[in-house]
Amino acid sequence: MGRLARSWALFVASLRVLRAHKGLAWFPVLAGIAGLLVAAAFLTPAFFTAHVPDGGVRPGVGTYVLLGAFYLVSAFVTIFFNAALISQADLALRGDGGVPGVGAGVAAASRRWPALLGWAGVTATVSVVLRTIEERLGFLGSIISGLIGLAWRFTTFLVLPVVMLEGAGVRDGVKRSVELFRRAWGENVAGTAGLGLVGFLLTLAGYVVFLGGAFLLGGTATVFAAVGLAIVWSLLVAVFTTTLSGIYQTALYRYAADGVVPGEFASVDFAGAFRAR
């Protein structure tokens, strides 16, 4: 099975799980809603503390504290709902009759909140460091930041499944994720790259249809409507691909940790996609 064919097979297998358990898509939706509330709660006061009476902008200690808290809490929100998704995707993949549910996923993530908060702190710190490197070193910094970020994403890709499904803490979760990465990494980029490509193509297709149609029809109102539809379409695609990514992440964990290929992925050449190196 070639790389493109394998990527497509991984996408189809993940989609098969989502079609059988559509409620899994609620987790990215809830993450988005919670993220907006967090942004409003922290960025609004940060905006006002950064502005002084004379109309200038002079961020003080309070502003930086609010921005730091925003980074941490927003990272925690994203990680929390991804963890909830993984817990229920694992239930769906086990095929033992369990029915995934939003409440059960939130409850499962809530039981692991200290570890999830710790992981949020780590990921937020890494993001800030990478952004600082990029800003300080310009073009060279972008390259360095990109390479480090790519290596970080690969080696920590299975941290959340380990934390949720093995009950590990942050340190042990990272060690275990690196161990699984070394044990069965092969061409694991096939799945993530494939899902990323699908998301990009779907988003591009939406923009071509909506904005292209507005250009052909003409009119200011039509253009505004097309832009609005394109934005909504992008959000729907983001929910779709995020859900598929969580399902794939869980399936990869089960294969790497237990050597078990979930039934929905039986047609995928996992042995070829994740050869031990």
Side-chain angles (χ1 to χ4, degrees):
M1 182 180 289
R3 294 184 180 182
L4 290 177
R6 186 178 297 119
S7 296
W8 176 252
L10 290 168
F11 164 74
V12 171
S14 301
L15 179 60
R16 191 178 299 120
V17 177
L18 178 57
R19 289 180 64 183
H21 304 280
K22 298 180 178 63
L24 294 174
W26 276 109
F27 293 107
V29 173
L30 292 174
I33 294 173
L36 290 175
L37 294 176
V38 168
F42 287 96
L43 297 185
T44 301
F47 173 82
F48 286 108
T49 57
H51 285 72
V52 292
D54 62 4
V57 179
R58 287 196 292 272
V61 175
T63 302
Y64 289 113
V65 169
L66 287 170
L67 291 177
F70 168 70
Y71 268 103
L72 177 60
V73 177
S74 60
F76 175 72
V77 165
T78 300
I79 288 171
F80 180 89
F81 285 104
N82 282 343
L85 168 60
I86 287 170
S87 73
Q88 298 309 290
D90 185 63
L91 183 62
L93 291 171
R94 288 205 303 266
D96 55 6
V99 180
V102 174
V106 171
S110 297
R111 289 192 292 271
R112 301 293 300 144
W113 75 265
L116 298 178
L117 181 60
W119 182 235
V122 172
T123 56
T125 301
V126 170
S127 297
V128 171
V129 170
L130 293 180
R131 179 170 297 182
T132 301
I133 292 174
E134 186 174 346
E135 292 176 351
R136 295 289 179 85
L137 300 181
F139 178 72
L140 178 61
S142 298
I143 296 176
I144 295 174
S145 175
L147 292 175
I148 295 176
L150 187 63
W152 173 258
R153 284 192 294 274
F154 278 143
T155 54
T156 62
F157 186 63
L158 297 179
V159 168
L160 278 185
V162 169
V163 169
M164 290 302 298
L165 305 179
E166 296 186 9
V170 175
R171 180 179 299 180
D172 291 338
V174 172
K175 290 181 179 179
R176 176 70 165 151
S177 178
V178 172
E179 174 191 341
L180 295 176
F181 175 75
R182 290 173 176 172
R183 179 186 303 175
W185 75 281
E187 296 178 74
N188 62 8
V189 69
T192 52
L195 292 176
L197 179 60
V198 168
F200 171 76
L201 292 178
L202 286 175
T203 302
L204 181 62
Y207 273 80
V208 169
V209 170
F210 294 126
L211 298 183
F215 177 78
L216 292 176
L217 295 175
T220 303
T222 303
V223 171
F224 277 108
V227 171
L229 289 173
I231 293 173
V232 171
W233 174 256
S234 298
L235 294 175
L236 292 175
V237 171
V239 169
F240 177 64
T241 54
T242 299
T243 308
L244 292 183
S245 179
I247 294 170
Y248 165 72
Q249 189 177 11
T250 308
L252 173 59
Y253 165 79
R254 282 301 175 196
Y255 177 79
D258 305 326
V260 175
V261 178
E264 292 81 355
F265 289 78
S267 61
V268 182
D269 180 18
F270 261 80
F274 307 106
R275 287 190 299 272
R277 294 290 179 91

